Amino acid sequence: MTPFRVAYLDMNSFFASVEQELDPALRGKPVAITAVDSNSGACVAASYEAKAFGVRTGTRVADARRLCPGIIFLPSRHRLYVRFNLAVADVLDRYAELTHIRSVDEFQLALSGDAQTLEGACALVAQLKAAVAKEVGPRLRFSAGLGPNHLLAKIAGKLDKPDGLQWLSPDNMPERIAHLSLDDLPGISRAMKERLFRAGVYDVVSLCQLDPRHARQIWRSVEGERFVRMLQGMDIPIIATQRGGYGNSKVLSPEFRAPRRAYQVGRWLVEKATARLRRDGRVAARFSLTVSFFEGQTWARGVSCFPTQDTAFFLRLHRALWRALWRNGPPGPVISLGVNLTEVDLLDRRQGDLLAPLAPAERTRGERVSVAVDQINARFGDGMIRYGIHAAHPGFFERG
């Protein structure tokens, strides 16, 4: 049998399970988590007692109340769930090699030694389940997937919920997942599914049997070849991005060193960086600003956000950080400044936002506007449309 190299753990109804762990009165009852304490909006999570009535992530509150009379709604407490996430991670890391915390409720482990066999891997998962139940709470359960690579392990982890354990490898592929739809697979967005349909790939079995070189053409990227090779069982590590970020920095010429003029240069740098981000089909989840002064001091701050490629949104973050810089009074002359977009990933991999609502890999309204601006500027000349007032600063002063 092909050795197992990865275990992927997916916490079951994590948000609701945390609430049930903390409040015994909620145990055994249908619970739904909402973004705010409100009678409107949608559920962002549901307990398995609620799921038995058809309540799912994304179900509107009014529909959930109709489907499940007596359902209990609770407002989301993200910081609390993060604390439990870290508690679970601490347990896993003491029993196995925790390589990635993939999200607030998903963990990836590297397998070695006896754990690369099916029997050994199953024994390890049983040990982890017992440890999490004992040290974090018995309501905190997870489904586990085993595979020769990250992708197959993640797919396997979704096959038997809750509290299950499944494995995928060339020994049982593609028959074991033949019942899945293309967009059941992680990374297959609605747009990618349509692209596969146009290429004559209509089901998971056909995708698994696809020539990886053909997949590269369909994806228009090497990521397609990597994806299919992993479905076929190859041990190819997933690379979230091919670069760490997008940014620009400037040593300012004398006429731009006044803080207000430096701020306008910063706006120009943001426009340049975000245009490159969109050109490569990527989004960024963190924005940083660095400002250096003649006195030798440097001020640097960053802020995390929903992964986006919207120029107007990053300009608002840029303005907010400059406001923070000015909070204690006007700064002195600026010698250099830089902006950076980091925590970068492909737009095609971005998860949806139930509260927006936004489908996976779908562009927001602001992003669509940004793309239209790029197209107009490409046709009629750079800077034909700008996002308000900025100060272009080309020349040898550029460091980024």
Side-chain angles (χ1 to χ4, degrees):
M1 177 175 282
T2 303
F4 295 108
R5 297 182 178 87
V6 178
Y8 202 98
L9 311 184
D10 185 358
M11 305 301 295
N12 302 147
S13 294
F14 184 55
F15 294 179
S17 296
V18 168
E19 299 290 354
Q20 289 175 323
E21 180 64 35
L22 293 177
D23 187 353
L26 298 175
R27 297 171 188 173
K29 297 180 180 179
V31 175
I33 309 299
T34 60
V36 294
D37 189 7
S38 170
N39 290 323
S40 61
C43 304
V44 298
S47 68
Y48 275 91
E49 294 84 359
K51 290 179 178 178
F53 287 86
V55 179
R56 298 286 187 269
T57 300
T59 302
R60 298 193 64 80
V61 168
D63 294 334
R65 189 173 280 114
R66 175 180 54 81
L67 290 169
C68 183
I71 190 171
I72 301 169
F73 294 101
L74 298 173
S76 175
R77 298 193 285 176
H78 188 71
R79 291 186 179 181
L80 172 66
Y81 308 144
V82 169
R83 289 202 298 271
F84 270 79
N85 166 278
L86 295 175
V88 172
D90 179 67
V91 173
L92 299 178
D93 199 42
R94 283 188 279 111
Y95 287 83
E97 183 184 351
L98 176 63
T99 57
H100 296 87
I101 299 177
R102 287 293 181 183
S103 69
V104 74
D105 61 351
E106 295 181 318
F107 306 87
Q108 181 178 327
L109 306 173
L111 302 178
S112 59
D114 290 341
Q116 290 192 325
T117 67
L118 181 58
E119 181 180 0
C122 290
L124 174 63
V125 170
Q127 185 180 30
L128 295 174
K129 287 178 180 285
V132 169
K134 178 180 178 180
E135 299 185 40
V136 185
R139 273 78 196 169
L140 277 298
R141 298 178 296 170
F142 60 80
S143 297
L146 307 174
N149 57 51
H150 164 273
L151 179 63
L152 289 182
K154 181 171 183 175
I155 297 171
K158 307 289 185 182
L159 294 177
D160 186 12
K161 301 182 73 172
D163 205 25
L165 169 61
Q166 290 292 327
W167 59 274
L168 291 174
S169 82
D171 300 281
N172 65 353
M173 285 284 289
E175 294 78 15
R176 182 62 183 85
I177 62 171
H179 64 286
L180 299 179
S181 300
L182 286 171
D183 50 5
D184 289 331
L185 303 182
I188 304 295
S189 64
R190 181 174 59 187
M192 183 55 66
K193 180 180 178 181
E194 293 173 355
R195 201 180 294 177
L196 287 165
F197 275 14
R198 290 195 296 271
V201 180
Y202 301 109
D203 54 56
V204 169
V205 173
S206 298
L207 179 61
C208 292
Q209 295 172 344
L210 193 67
D211 186 322
R213 294 168 296 181
H214 188 192
R216 181 194 285 250
Q217 295 177 341
I218 296 172
W219 259 258
R220 303 168 193 163
S221 165
V222 69
E223 294 302 321
E225 181 175 345
R226 291 167 56 84
F227 188 89
V228 169
R229 289 192 185 279
M230 282 189 287
L231 282 179
Q232 295 171 350
M234 291 188 65
D235 181 23
I236 301 177
I238 286 185
I239 302 173
T241 63
Q242 293 181 347
R243 58 184 296 168
Y246 292 75
N248 288 293
S249 61
K250 280 284 185 180
V251 176
L252 300 179
S253 58
E255 64 268 30
F256 293 102
R257 290 173 182 169
R260 293 185 186 277
R261 291 290 283 163
Y263 165 76
Q264 292 174 351
V265 173
R267 289 179 58 88
W268 177 65
L269 295 177
V270 171
E271 290 190 36
K272 291 180 61 182
T274 52
R276 299 206 321 273
L277 185 74
R278 286 188 298 276
R279 178 197 65 197
D280 292 345
R282 299 179 183 273
V283 293
R286 186 169 180 81
F287 176 82
S288 302
L289 172 69
T290 302
V291 183
S292 298
F293 302 97
F294 264 92
E295 295 86 349
Q297 297 177 331
T298 297
W299 185 94
R301 295 288 188 277
V303 58
S304 297
C305 60
F306 178 77
T308 185
Q309 55 179 211
D310 182 355
T311 294
F313 180 81
F314 283 115
L315 284 172
R316 290 194 292 272
L317 295 183
H318 174 258
R319 180 178 178 84
L321 291 179
W322 272 94
R323 285 181 178 272
L325 172 60
W326 279 61
R327 192 164 293 145
N328 296 323
V334 177
I335 184 64
S336 68
L337 76 157
V339 300
N340 278 285
L341 309 175
T342 53
E343 298 184 11
V344 175
D345 205 345
L346 292 168
L347 173 64
D348 285 347
R349 292 182 185 167
R350 184 174 68 185
Q351 297 182 356
D353 185 349
L354 294 169
L355 306 180
L358 186 70
E362 180 186 10
R363 283 192 171 96
T364 66
R365 180 180 180 183
E367 290 170 339
R368 294 196 298 271
V369 170
S370 297
V371 170
V373 170
D374 292 342
Q375 293 170 344
I376 293 172
N377 286 337
R379 180 173 181 180
F380 297 102
D382 188 33
M384 177 61 65
I385 295 183
R386 299 183 297 176
Y387 296 81
I389 298 174
H390 70 216
H393 191 320
F396 70 93
F397 288 94
E398 183 164 0
R399 297 194 306 191

